[in-house]
Amino acid sequence: MTEPAPRPPLLRPSILDALFAPARGLPGIGPKMAPMIERLLGTPEQPARIVDLLFHLPQGGVARRMMGSIAEAPPGEPVTLGVTVTGYRAPQPGPGRRPFRVLVEDPTGDITLVFFGMPQARVEKMLPLGAHRYITGRIDLWDGHRQMVHPARIVDEAGLAAQPTVEPIYGATEGLTSRAISKLAHAALERLPVLPEWQDPAWIAREGLPAFADALRAEHRPESAPPPIPEGATAPPRSPARRRLAYDELLASQLALALMRARNRRAPGRANAGDGTLSGRIEAALPFALTGAQSRAVAEIRGDLASDRRMLRLLQGDVGSGKTAVALLALASAVEVGRQGALMAPTEILARQHFERLAPLAAPLRLRLLTGRDRASERRATLAALAAGEVDIVVGTHALFQDSVVFSDLGVAVVDEQHRFGVHQRLALGAKGAAVDILVMTATPIPRTLALTCFGDMDVSVLDEKPAGRKAIATRLVSTDRLDEVVAGLNRALAAGDRVYWICPLVAESEFVDLAAAEERFGDLRHSFGDAVGLIHGKMPGPDKDAAMERFQRGETKILVSTTVVEVGVDVPEATIMVIEHAERFGLAQLHQLRGRVGRGARASTCLLLYRGPLGQVSRARLEMMRETEDGFRIAEEDLRLRGEGEVLGTRQSGMAAFRLASLESDAELLQVARDDAQLVVQRDPGLKSPRGQALRVLLYLFEREAAIRLLGAG
Ligand code: ADP
Ligand code: MG
């Protein structure tokens, strides 16, 4: 057995130091603002850095001259409106966070401004009764009324005169206005170092694209508002600055991929298939017989593991097709030859669920859980055991990617619901052992071309057969006007012992607005059902999330109100009713995933798709498609046709978009160019040693694809 070579720490070029310095060091960030910045751009593992602020691009700009009337203001786009303040609505009492609302109007109509967690006095001071103010923000429709949640900007006449001609509009967060973010972005721009040009100068000139630094400046200090969104498109055409930044990110990603492919070709794998005793024992311990499709997939994986080629296999299987059992058998193979296995899940809840399911099945194995939430002492113990080879299989979240996680000898890594992870994270995991065999699993049928460009070259196994005995799920479309009937129906269902998921709508692209909707619904349902109602959402601290999930699992709560947290993987067989509010706002694939949470037990299940009418022709067709079929592949094809690739891959709603500056929809054509460019670079300069190669190393670090640099020395 070969010992993995000790890895020297990767040294980020010092030219980038200023960009990776903590954002809280910027002037203007005091103790009050620092936590808000962290909430917007940081994670528990990684405080926000200046580069995060610079890559938090404005969603658009608003020109003062674009000011319009309330009646004509298009929902969903940033607008500036001159309005008069006509009334206040204090928060209603009740559980959950209730907003303070302010009514404003102009001669053409009215809007409700919604404020969460802001002192009432402060709101009243900004918006005195009877005063005339200019408000900037996005309008959305709620119950047919116009509302604007946390206007990006509120100014009086003098403030308006002092405004720049174009105001960049940022995705704001509670307590932190778009204006404040803009100021910080300006401060961050001051720290921008002079970086070498990593793009081919001839191409840049031909495309008329600015330098990287100029592009960032142009985005954060726009001089003109973006052009309107063309008919049939979902976004305005990309500016040269935006294209430049998108291309930089795409090239970094494609270059990392190309380096990985090159190494995979060079470096042979190791045989990781054992004698089958352990997997045989596990298979016998499963409470069911494998389906034909599962057996086929297991055989294909065994074939890969037995060969000395590295495995890179995609396991596609609709929700409920039983991917986990296949994963476990693959992991057991690694253990049979004395190596380790890792199973990675996209969320804390899923990692825990996998761990708890596997524990009894994998009884002879030493199993451990590693998440970002472990206590320091626990974490140290787990890390030490992993490094010492005292753990056979580790189940975890993103925490597994961290540099501090070192395996004694990792043989097989399985990545669950892989579209939630970037390929680069997978790459980082693969780099944790000598020639790790990798299995990625997804419920999303990914079109072949897209799989190639986004995920590299993979072999594919398909689970095209559901376990026997599954009951069809009755799917119904119900107008929200009939909410009362739905609630009455739930009363009967609860009495009969059913358990219910209630999914709240995706209102805006802002998580805290979604959250508010969920909290309001939770409050309402509490009125009818009391303590039988639980709440779970993505912003809850991890332990609270687990507790809420466990209460539902044990049946202590019978209705679980949720944002889309439950979408992937969660398995509570007793749940038989799925209510999805505002179903017309979800992607088909996402509805399918959500619906797949029920229909797992012996009892008949129902899915209620609540919609707010009137529905357009396409929306109706989409929802009817859901009623017609439970075939995930058919649904995904239709979804792709109707909505485009970013949606199908779930990158948009996952909150963990694979790209920060680029979008698979708007920049698809650039992706292809970047792929060709990267291949050429790797052919001509595989060690990235030429002057452009050196600059490209900086690019890889800038976009945190440096795991690929490690491959340059290895292999
Ligand atoms: P997914 O492919 O969505 O990840 P899971 O692996 O979570 O599906 O399996 C869904 C459910 O089906 C689980 O409760 C699992 O125990 C069960 N299951 C898996 N394989 C079979 C089978 N061959 N026969 C019966 N039930 C199965
Ligand atoms: Mg699963």
Side-chain angles (χ1 to χ4, degrees), residues 438-498:
I438 295 180
L439 177 69
V440 295
M441 311 200 291
T442 181
T444 312
I446 301 168
R448 184 81 193 136
T449 48
L450 196 60
L452 278 178
T453 24
C454 296
F455 304 107
D457 303 298
M458 290 192 273
D459 298 312
V460 180
S461 295
V462 181
L463 297 184
D464 50 7
E465 183 184 346
K466 290 228 171 154
R470 291 280 156 83
K471 294 226 168 65
I473 302 168
T475 300
R476 289 195 210 115
L477 311 189
V478 182
S479 160
T480 345
D481 298 341
R482 292 166 54 200
L483 196 65
D484 288 348
E485 290 168 49
V486 172
V487 171
L490 287 191
N491 246 323
R492 289 189 296 275
L494 290 200
D498 284 318

Side-chain angles (χ1 to χ4, degrees), residues 320 323-324 350 353-354 416-417 441 568-570 597 600:
K323 295 183 288 293
T324 319
L350 273 184
Q353 179 183 292
H354 276 319
D416 194 13
E417 310 292 352
M441 311 200 291
V568 275
V570 171
R597 298 306 114 215
R600 302 185 150 231

Side-chain angles (χ1 to χ4, degrees), residues 183-247:
K183 272 195 187 151
L184 291 175
H186 287 185
L189 283 173
E190 301 292 321
R191 304 282 177 91
L192 204 54
V194 178
L195 298 173
E197 178 57 84
W198 43 72
Q199 299 293 2
D200 174 10
W203 189 76
I204 289 292
R206 204 166 56 238
E207 295 284 314
L209 301 181
F212 170 75
D214 293 337
L216 274 181
R217 281 188 207 105
E219 281 294 308
H220 290 291
R221 294 201 186 110
E223 277 165 11
S224 56
I229 297 174
E231 198 77 38
T234 54
R238 307 290 245 180
S239 66
R242 193 61 192 249
R243 292 190 63 206
R244 161 75 210 224
L245 296 173
Y247 191 73

Side-chain angles (χ1 to χ4, degrees), residues 49-211:
R49 302 151 309 176
I50 288 178
V51 67
D52 300 318
L53 201 49
L54 287 173
F55 285 176
H56 185 64
L57 298 182
Q59 299 162 339
V62 179
R64 273 171 53 197
R65 61 184 153 70
M66 275 174 61
M67 204 150 44
S69 64
I70 290 180
E72 283 165 9
E77 285 171 46
V79 289
T80 294
L81 303 164
V83 297
T84 305
V85 181
T86 57
Y88 300 137
R89 295 278 176 277
Q92 289 152 15
R97 248 173 354 146
R98 303 290 175 132
F100 181 66
R101 299 173 205 265
V102 178
L103 305 185
V104 300
E105 62 173 42
D106 77 358
T108 68
D110 53 34
I111 302 184
T112 305
L113 309 182
V114 183
F115 297 88
F116 288 97
M118 214 184 266
Q120 192 164 327
R122 203 169 122 208
V123 178
E124 288 179 8
K125 196 162 155 234
M126 286 192 294
L127 294 160
L129 274 182
H132 193 255
R133 289 287 181 268
Y134 294 91
I135 57 170
T136 300
R138 284 165 193 269
I139 293 180
D140 57 78
L141 292 177
W142 185 247
D143 261 342
H145 298 297
R146 289 186 185 82
Q147 68 167 24
M148 187 185 283
V149 180
H150 288 216
R153 178 128 208 228
I154 299 169
V155 292
D156 56 14
E157 207 69 52
L160 184 74
Q163 261 187 48
T165 21
V166 180
E167 167 120 35
I169 301 298
Y170 291 87
T173 185
E174 205 168 332
L176 196 60
T177 61
S178 172
R179 187 77 212 287
I181 297 173
S182 170
K183 272 195 187 151
L184 291 175
H186 287 185
L189 283 173
E190 301 292 321
R191 304 282 177 91
L192 204 54
V194 178
L195 298 173
E197 178 57 84
W198 43 72
Q199 299 293 2
D200 174 10
W203 189 76
I204 289 292
R206 204 166 56 238
E207 295 284 314
L209 301 181

Side-chain angles (χ1 to χ4, degrees), residues 386-512:
L386 268 177
E390 287 156 12
V391 173
D392 296 318
I393 295 179
V394 64
V395 179
T397 56
H398 296 81
L400 287 174
F401 296 125
Q402 289 160 4
D403 273 349
S404 54
V405 179
V406 176
F407 291 83
S408 146
D409 190 6
L410 180 61
V412 175
V414 180
V415 184
D416 194 13
E417 310 292 352
Q418 69 104 32
H419 63 287
R420 300 263 152 164
F421 294 103
V423 66
H424 304 283
Q425 293 169 307
R426 202 182 69 212
L427 184 89
L429 191 67
K432 285 191 181 295
V436 181
D437 282 318
I438 295 180
L439 177 69
V440 295
M441 311 200 291
T442 181
T444 312
I446 301 168
R448 184 81 193 136
T449 48
L450 196 60
L452 278 178
T453 24
C454 296
F455 304 107
D457 303 298
M458 290 192 273
D459 298 312
V460 180
S461 295
V462 181
L463 297 184
D464 50 7
E465 183 184 346
K466 290 228 171 154
R470 291 280 156 83
K471 294 226 168 65
I473 302 168
T475 300
R476 289 195 210 115
L477 311 189
V478 182
S479 160
T480 345
D481 298 341
R482 292 166 54 200
L483 196 65
D484 288 348
E485 290 168 49
V486 172
V487 171
L490 287 191
N491 246 323
R492 289 189 296 275
L494 290 200
D498 284 318
R499 246 174 269 170
V500 182
Y501 290 108
W502 187 299
I503 310 296
C504 283
L506 212 60
V507 177
E509 267 167 51
S510 141
E511 208 178 328
F512 79 93

Side-chain angles (χ1 to χ4, degrees), residues 18 215 278 469:
L278 190 58

